[in-house]
Amino acid sequence: MDRIDAHHHVWDLAVRPHTWLDPEPMAPVRRTFTLDDLAGPAAAAGVTRTVLVQVLSDLDETREFLALAAVSDLVAGVVGWIDLTAPDAADTLAALPGGLVGVRHGVQSEPDPEWLNRPDVRRGLAAVEAAGLAYDLLTLPRQLPAAIDTVRAMPGLTFVLDHLSKPPIAAGELEPWRSRIKELAAHPNVYCKLSGMVTEADWATWRVSDLRPYAEVVLEAFGPDRVMFGSDWPVCLLAAEYQRVAQAADELCAGLSGGERAEVFAGTARRAYGLH
């Protein structure tokens, strides 16, 4: 079965600082990670193509990721960053080289829970739509109401929810996250990544049974044809090796039909991002 990892990162600490790695709990991943580091674990998990996702709010990083993708047999597309609030957002997108399949901003770090509803942000999102790209939603549960408003207001833009919007898996809580996910999933232009779960669980003691209630919510709400596997490597290494993350996803999808699993592990990502 063709397998696509729809969400991973790389970073080079010699090129630019990553201050989000400064807190002590992040020490295990406070080093440079390259595509070469990913190649072996990805191959062992049967992954043949990937989507490389932005880390920083830095246009130079996006250009570097596009250059990596251009010479890589592994990376099928890049989700990059632009300043959505800039008046020239459309021009910035038009000037980027090929390989861009989506745009993402770290909404999770915005103090305003209504950031997605700002007029300048919506103008930038309209530029993303006009460029034929997807928009990755990196939100926390408290930001889902604004995400729902935005998705409702922009039915022509493809949205991809990262990491299930980071539900409180370690605490074992489902509400109000579950109700908001169902409301978001009611809009057919939204997809969801089955990613980032192990780092929302207890890093040291998590089990697949801890993840299952959350995976079941998104698989039921979105359906397998709008859910896609993502490793969130190398962030996932805080809680699990690459192959364990892929194995957990397999276990969570074991009850699906063969065709449905093919959607989660390849078909959905191909459609959402227009991968070839």
Side-chain angles (χ1 to χ4, degrees):
M1 182 175 66
D2 185 29
R3 287 202 169 214
I4 298 173
D5 179 350
H7 195 106
H8 76 87
H9 311 283
V10 296
W11 54 76
D12 188 341
L13 300 188
V15 173
R16 60 178 59 83
H18 285 248
T19 56
W20 66 282
L21 293 174
D22 289 346
E24 186 55 32
M26 305 304 291
V29 293
R30 196 186 301 134
R31 65 176 180 84
T32 293
F33 289 91
T34 69
L35 287 178
D36 287 341
D37 295 324
L38 174 63
V47 169
T48 54
R49 291 183 293 165
T50 69
V51 176
L52 174 57
V53 179
Q54 64 86 218
V55 183
L56 303 176
S57 298
D58 189 313
L59 191 58
D60 285 338
E61 179 196 69
T62 295
R63 293 190 182 102
E64 290 162 12
F65 282 6
L66 290 168
L68 280 176
V71 297
S72 170
D73 293 329
L74 184 61
V75 178
V78 171
V79 174
W81 179 89
I82 66 161
D83 183 358
L84 291 172
T85 67
D88 63 347
D91 294 336
T92 299
L93 287 172
L96 289 171
L100 192 70
V101 298
V103 170
R104 187 175 83 152
H105 176 76
V107 179
Q108 65 175 5
S109 299
E110 293 291 345
D112 178 8
E114 295 293 317
W115 187 86
L116 284 164
N117 286 329
R118 284 172 39 173
D120 54 352
V121 174
R122 291 285 182 86
R123 182 187 62 214
L125 290 174
V128 174
E129 179 181 349
L133 302 171
Y135 180 74
D136 271 36
L137 288 162
L138 179 58
T139 55
L140 302 174
R142 65 182 178 85
Q143 296 163 323
L144 281 172
I148 293 164
D149 290 343
T150 303
V151 164
R152 183 184 297 117
M154 306 190 73
L157 176 58
T158 295
F159 291 88
V160 181
L161 181 66
D162 290 352
H163 312 328
L164 292 70
S165 196
K166 298 196 167 185
I169 297 175
E173 298 172 0
L174 284 168
E175 293 295 347
W177 169 84
R178 175 171 53 191
S179 297
R180 291 171 179 171
I181 285 292
K182 290 181 177 181
E183 190 174 355
L184 184 70
H187 300 277
N189 56 319
V190 191
Y191 296 79
C192 182
K193 290 183 183 176
L194 198 65
S195 64
M197 300 179 70
V198 296
T199 45
E200 296 307 315
D202 186 294
W203 295 357
T205 64
W206 71 271
R207 298 178 179 180
V208 171
S209 59
D210 300 326
L211 315 181
R212 191 175 301 282
Y214 303 89
E216 288 178 346
V217 167
V218 299
L219 285 167
E220 179 182 352
F222 288 93
D225 60 342
R226 286 196 287 144
V227 174
M228 66 187 86
F229 164 70
S231 67
D232 197 28
W233 181 93
V235 181
C236 69
L237 298 177
L238 294 166
E241 294 295 325
Y242 190 100
Q243 198 150 357
R244 180 61 184 125
V245 172
Q247 181 184 355
D250 278 329
E251 293 179 39
L252 293 169
C253 295
L256 302 180
S257 70
E260 289 170 335
R261 288 195 299 274
E263 291 294 287
V264 172
F265 289 101
T268 299
R270 277 199 298 263
R271 284 194 308 281
Y273 289 123
L275 304 180
H276 303 293

